[in-house]
Amino acid sequence: MNRIAVILLAAALVVVLALLAAAAAGTLARLDGATYPAALTRAATTFAAVLTLAAAVTGALAQFLP
């Protein structure tokens, strides 16, 4: 299988999961009574946190690859 295709698919999957987590966080914040700007801030924070976590896990697992 083409290695670049796998990398691109994995990156796309991480971005989609980050968007889903951000949407869930924003929705839950809004249901909790937060204003729209506050809910958007929480969603953006969650999006950045998921991307940072994915980068950290990738960096940790890269040590074990040949």
Side-chain angles (χ1 to χ4, degrees), residues 10-41:
L13 180 64
V14 167
V15 170
V16 167
L17 289 176
L19 285 171
L20 287 173
T27 302
L28 288 174
R30 187 68 186 134
L31 288 175
D32 197 33
T35 62
Y36 283 107
L40 185 62
T41 302

